[in-house]
Amino acid sequence: MDIKKPKAVIGTNSCGGAVAAKVFRGSSVDDQTLKNTIAAAKEKGLLIFDLAQVYGLGKAQKKIGAFGTEGMILSAKFTPPSKYTPGQVRKSLERDLAEFKRGYVDIY
């Protein structure tokens, strides 16, 4: 897949925290559904997954990392918790990498 011409991007905002997802999005995605979605997306060549530390109250990235990110293109983002201070972006990226269990993010 050409990263510059994606067919689609899989959002993960409803993944991870059931209570938060139901409150903010109206529904949540359980672990098996998330695993099935990842497998089906890979089969269809939909390999870009959009993540953020706030999705699922911080659980979405951890779950994706635990399920395995091989063959996936990961998009992550920095969202400052309040006033920006030097070093926050690096710290945020390092947390993303730890949660993804990989040494790089494809899109940041």
Side-chain angles (χ1 to χ4, degrees), residues 9-85:
V9 176
I10 308 299
T12 60
N13 196 3
S14 295
C15 305
V19 173
K22 285 180 182 176
V23 169
F24 296 118
R25 308 286 296 168
S27 63
S28 67
V29 176
D30 62 68
D31 288 358
Q32 191 57 52
T33 299
L34 180 55
K35 288 178 185 179
N36 294 344
T37 299
I38 291 169
K42 286 181 176 181
E43 286 177 20
K44 300 290 185 184
L46 306 174
L47 304 175
I48 301 177
F49 289 78
D50 177 58
L51 295 135
Q53 290 175 9
V54 298
Y55 292 175
L57 288 180
K59 294 179 183 176
Q61 293 194 165
K62 292 175 185 170
K63 288 186 181 221
I64 295 283
F67 298 158
T69 61
E70 185 174 336
M72 298 169 83
I73 297 170
L74 298 185
S75 169
K77 60 194 70 65
F78 167 71
T79 305
S82 59
K83 182 181 175 187
Y84 174 78
T85 58

